[in-house]
Amino acid sequence: MASAGKFQVMTLTAAAAGRVSELVENSDGKAIGLRVGIKTGGCAGMEYTMDLVEEAKAGDDVIEDKGAKLFVDPSAVLFLLGTEMDFEVTKFRSGFVFRNPNEVSACGCGESVSLQAADQSAAAR
């Protein structure tokens, strides 16, 4: 159980938590959660990464929300502070959607973003 007052880097909607749990269950018992990170790439400069996790890495920020477990790559924490992860199904696509207050801009296809590091003083409040 998280200690009182600990700031959670990210939150998940019920739809996102359900999809993470579904991915973990479909991994034949090998995965324990989903790792979220950021990598350089795409037309706007940065892309979100997601990989199934079989074991935690040192420094991972572990988030347990609505029955799902996320592992946030330490190098991505400042870019993901305050982000809500959702899972949407539309007529044209289905996938995870990140509502990130640190997003400066995004490309037209929505696959690539420009991010700034979060103001750490805001997170400490």
Side-chain angles (χ1 to χ4, degrees):
M1 188 161 145
S3 60
K6 182 181 184 312
F7 183 79
Q8 190 164 284
V9 175
M10 292 177 61
T11 58
L12 288 90
T13 64
R19 182 62 180 148
V20 170
S21 296
E22 191 177 290
L23 290 170
V24 169
E25 287 167 18
N26 291 336
S27 72
D28 297 325
K30 294 179 180 150
I32 58 171
L34 190 70
R35 176 171 287 107
V36 177
I38 302 284
K39 71 176 183 177
T40 303
C43 47
M46 298 177 116
E47 297 175 328
Y48 296 104
T49 62
M50 288 171 285
D51 299 291
L52 286 170
V53 175
E54 291 184 16
E55 62 182 51
K57 290 183 182 174
D60 278 348
D61 202 305
V62 182
I63 298 164
E64 294 188 59
D65 193 4
K66 299 175 186 66
K69 192 180 276 193
L70 282 186
F71 297 82
V72 180
D73 187 293
S75 64
V77 167
L78 283 179
F79 295 104
L80 294 173
L81 277 175
T83 297
E84 179 186 63
M85 185 171 152
D86 195 5
F87 184 76
E88 292 182 347
V89 178
T90 69
K91 228 178 357 180
F92 302 106
R93 69 178 289 273
S94 65
F96 289 106
V97 177
F98 295 86
R99 293 185 187 94
N100 188 337
N102 308 304
E103 190 175 298
V104 178
S105 65
C107 68
C109 65
E111 295 296 319
S112 175
V113 293
S114 178
L115 301 171
Q116 65 184 9
D119 179 359
Q120 289 182 316
S121 63
R125 285 184 229 148

